[in-house]
Amino acid sequence: MGEQRFCDILAGLRREKGVSQRRAAADLHISQALLSHYENGAREPGLPFVCRACDYYGVTADHLLGRTEEAIPAQVSRTEMTELVGRLRELADKMESSIR
């Protein structure tokens, strides 16, 4: 698999969402012309736009920037979550006992 460019990923996410460039631009609070420039690689956006686009499309910045294929963060396993909750409970107990 070749590395994908930001502009291609951005345009692909919009098509996957099934919205027009006009609608996406309005939702992202930019002009359609500017979104077109981002999607064809003529311009690169700043961080505020990248953050809005990640929220809008429901993907991670790493995915949008072409750093990973995973669009959403990896899920935490039940075992990992149980261990984390256990450690948090231990910490809460220690904090509570130190207050007394």
Side-chain angles (χ1 to χ4, degrees):
M1 177 214 128
E3 189 173 301
Q4 278 196 290
R5 298 180 322 153
F6 169 82
C7 59
D8 298 326
I9 295 168
L10 183 65
L13 288 169
R14 180 182 54 77
R15 286 190 293 273
E16 285 176 24
K17 190 173 178 88
V19 295
S20 67
Q21 230 181 33
R22 180 181 306 254
R23 175 78 261 156
D27 291 345
L28 291 165
H29 310 291
I30 61 171
S31 69
Q32 182 181 352
L34 184 55
L35 181 58
S36 176
H37 287 306
Y38 292 161
E39 288 188 359
N40 69 29
R43 299 216 21 215
E44 290 188 357
L47 185 57
F49 174 82
V50 171
C51 293
R52 285 195 311 274
C54 288
D55 291 342
Y56 183 68
Y57 293 115
V59 298
T60 65
D62 276 347
H63 177 71
L64 184 58
L65 298 174
R67 294 172 43 99
T68 182
E69 288 185 40
E70 283 74 37
I72 58 172
Q75 297 297 313
V76 176
S77 73
R78 182 179 287 286
T79 302
E80 292 170 320
M81 185 60 73
T82 301
E83 289 173 2
L84 178 60
V85 169
R87 286 187 284 183
L88 288 171
R89 284 186 178 138
E90 288 174 11
L91 181 58
D93 290 344
K94 286 180 183 177
M95 290 175 63
E96 188 177 322
S97 66
S98 70
I99 294 173
R100 294 180 187 167

